[in-house]
Amino acid sequence: MRRVQIAVIGYNKDRCTDAARKAAYEAGAEIARAGAVLVCGGLGGVMEEACRGAKDNDGLTIGIIPQDDPSHANRHCDVVISTGIGYARDFIVAGSADGLIAIGGGVGTLTELSVAYMMKKPMVAIKGTGGTADHYGGVYLDERKRAKIIAVKDAKTAVKTIFKELG
Amino acid sequence: MRRVQIAVIGYNKDRCTDAARKAAYEAGAEIARAGAVLVCGGLGGVMEEACRGAKDNDGLTIGIIPQDDPSHANRHCDVVISTGIGYARDFIVAGSADGLIAIGGGVGTLTELSVAYMMKKPMVAIKGTGGTADHYGGVYLDERKRAKIIAVKDAKTAVKTIFKELG
Amino acid sequence: MRRVQIAVIGYNKDRCTDAARKAAYEAGAEIARAGAVLVCGGLGGVMEEACRGAKDNDGLTIGIIPQDDPSHANRHCDVVISTGIGYARDFIVAGSADGLIAIGGGVGTLTELSVAYMMKKPMVAIKGTGGTADHYGGVYLDERKRAKIIAVKDAKTAVKTIFKELG
Amino acid sequence: MRRVQIAVIGYNKDRCTDAARKAAYEAGAEIARAGAVLVCGGLGGVMEEACRGAKDNDGLTIGIIPQDDPSHANRHCDVVISTGIGYARDFIVAGSADGLIAIGGGVGTLTELSVAYMMKKPMVAIKGTGGTADHYGGVYLDERKRAKIIAVKDAKTAVKTIFKELG
């Protein structure tokens, strides 16, 4: 039986805030505790902290990176998918998630949410983490209102909400 | 000397409005008159009308489609790029444009704008065409404010603005 | 410390022979016993048998599928990467492997070997499994002779050879 | 009415021979004279010479490049598709061709032929140009024998053969 796969998306290393880092670590930890698999973009910032949180709780971590060389992945990825397709890998991160958690983030995070929205996947955004999570939390990305980006207060609620949405 | 390549993005066939259709035809026509190449997603709705407008003005039209079979393209595409990579082709539409014009549109249009924003490309949105163009016209897609989606009043101004931004 | 990732590639469900099925099961089992992660295309035939062999030996199995819906993966995949990019996913299977084992197979297997060859990855082909493995085992794919597809007699030697090549 | 799109594939700049360069120029010229569109990988060597031959004969040239920046394309490309997906763009070159002409080439050329073979597209290889064209001309790439890579003596015959195969 395949386990649920949850993506954590958000700030990369350059612009990550302390609040986002902390929330990402907690999100990774909660995903692991819930018995789900962590999927992410495999690089720094939110991605790295989520992986670290998952590994500290015996989780399984998958990094789907833009490069074709696994050495670019953060060292907390158990498995590295070296796509070699650049930032088009954002499509694959979103496509490989049963649900997504946004923490801070810029336009790359918005791209991933857009793809997930098109596929009607459960999406949550942790409030107070800045950037895309704060700006797009609670909204629909287009007028069809296929799936709302649910604003949640913390990592624990984030994971619980995704499981609830998955039914 | 390579000519400027301008993408027209927006509603697909299912949800296209008359206002968007008309603006798309005009955008295609203006692109052709300006001596630029029209790049688009190659399917129906805004994409098809833009191609028709360009062809009626002796333009060159390129359709970059999700499928691996060119028969899915609208019949006004001179050249069909059959990517076979599904909606990840949105990355290539944005990547192959020197500037983009949004006309109506849903979340796919937002995805294309997100990718273009990341690459700091000139983007305009024609007001009054609905959807993504109206909702995101005049805004920045993230807090870095790399490139504004400039709201413009019509197709003629759209093309003129892109040329001005390209310098 | 990331574990070694080994891809098993070859016949899909339609054309898989008993010899290939048996070798694939053994390859999956040997990969698991060696403590490596099994990467594959996630569908039927050789891919499914390799996953089954790995799971029977407490291995970890990753299926990188062409579709954007994980239900297409065989049920022995622990993690499914739903690429949505069609058969361009062959690039990602090869790119995500530290070494590859070919078992039977048709032109898709050749595509994966070509990509791995370009990246100079260790490749082995199990003799007597038919198709691409038998036809291209022992050869170089182009005149640069970057990496030989080493013909081996069985799954055990296949895994051992890849580890030896990785140094 | 969309025109026929023919891909010319083969040696890149590093390893291109004079024979391959000459055949590529002629292939581009013949494609243009036949009223078809030239599709290629957009970089140097065979790709550049084919574009030059086509432009000298008023043809239309499309370069589908690995990078996301069009400045990497050779200067004889009328239109540049900046994929940003690295060498996975080989899939799109093959997918966007109604037929393919191989001239010399290494493993990248073999990858493109493999993809075209899977899609049962007409393929020809010009004899005496070295590399992949000489090695795989006249063969089937797997045991299903879906489509033969037809060995031809020159560029003129190459284009004529593709049109004949397309019926």
Side-chain angles (χ1 to χ4, degrees), chain D:
Chain D
M1 201 36 204
R2 193 172 69 81
R3 287 147 73 191
V4 168
Q5 299 179 189
I6 298 179
V8 174
I9 60 177
Y11 285 128
N12 61 26
K13 199 174 62 175
D14 296 339
R15 300 171 51 252
C16 204
T17 60
D18 283 348
R21 243 179 260 280
K22 195 158 167 268
Y25 181 90
E26 274 308 313
E30 287 295 331
I31 287 168
R33 282 177 209 132
V37 174
L38 170 65
V39 170
C40 72
L43 303 180
V46 158
M47 300 170 263
E48 184 164 8
E49 285 307 295
C51 287
R52 204 166 60 83
K55 290 315 300 171
D56 284 351
N57 289 273
D58 299 320
L60 178 64
T61 57
I62 315 291
I64 302 174
I65 63 173
Q67 299 89 352
D68 61 11
D69 174 351
S71 69
H72 289 90
N74 75 61
R75 65 200 174 87
H76 306 289
C77 292
D78 291 315
V79 175
V80 179
I81 306 299
S82 302
T83 68
I85 62 169
Y87 285 98
R89 77 82 150 80
D90 291 356
F91 262 87
I92 300 182
V93 171
S96 298
D98 298 306
L100 298 92
I101 301 173
I103 297 173
V107 80
T109 305
L110 178 59
T111 305
E112 289 164 327
L113 290 172
S114 298
V115 175
Y117 175 93
M118 192 159 54
M119 300 177 178
K120 283 191 184 179
K121 304 205 174 196
M123 296 169 280
V124 303
I126 301 183
K127 280 187 287 193
T129 55
T132 295
D134 277 348
H135 196 74
Y136 295 92
V139 310
Y140 292 99
L141 289 178
D142 77 6
E143 58 202 9
R144 279 172 295 183
K145 303 196 172 181
R146 294 168 77 93
K148 190 193 261 187
I149 301 169
I150 302 169
V152 296
K153 68 174 198 290
D154 57 21
K156 193 167 191 136
T157 318
V159 173
K160 200 181 287 183
T161 303
I162 284 177
F163 270 95
K164 193 179 145 203
E165 292 285 313
L166 289 172

Side-chain angles (χ1 to χ4, degrees), chain A residues 76-92:
Chain A
H76 307 289
C77 292
D78 290 315
V79 175
V80 179
I81 306 299
S82 303
T83 67
I85 62 170
Y87 286 96
R89 77 79 151 82
D90 290 356
F91 262 88
I92 300 182

Side-chain angles (χ1 to χ4, degrees), chain A residues 11 15 87 107 142-143, chain B residues 11 15 87 91 107 142-143:
Chain A
Y11 285 128
R15 299 173 50 253
Y87 286 96
V107 80
D142 77 6
E143 58 202 8
Chain B
Y11 285 129
R15 299 172 51 253
Y87 285 97
F91 262 87
V107 80
D142 77 7
E143 58 202 9

Side-chain angles (χ1 to χ4, degrees), chain A residues 59-71:
Chain A
L60 178 63
T61 57
I62 315 291
I64 303 174
I65 63 172
Q67 298 88 353
D68 61 10
D69 174 349
S71 69

Side-chain angles (χ1 to χ4, degrees), chain B residues 1-6 31 34-38 98-99 162-163 166:
Chain B
M1 206 26 213
R2 192 173 69 81
R3 287 147 72 191
V4 168
Q5 298 179 190
I6 298 179
I31 287 168
V37 174
L38 170 65
D98 298 307
I162 285 177
F163 270 96
L166 289 172

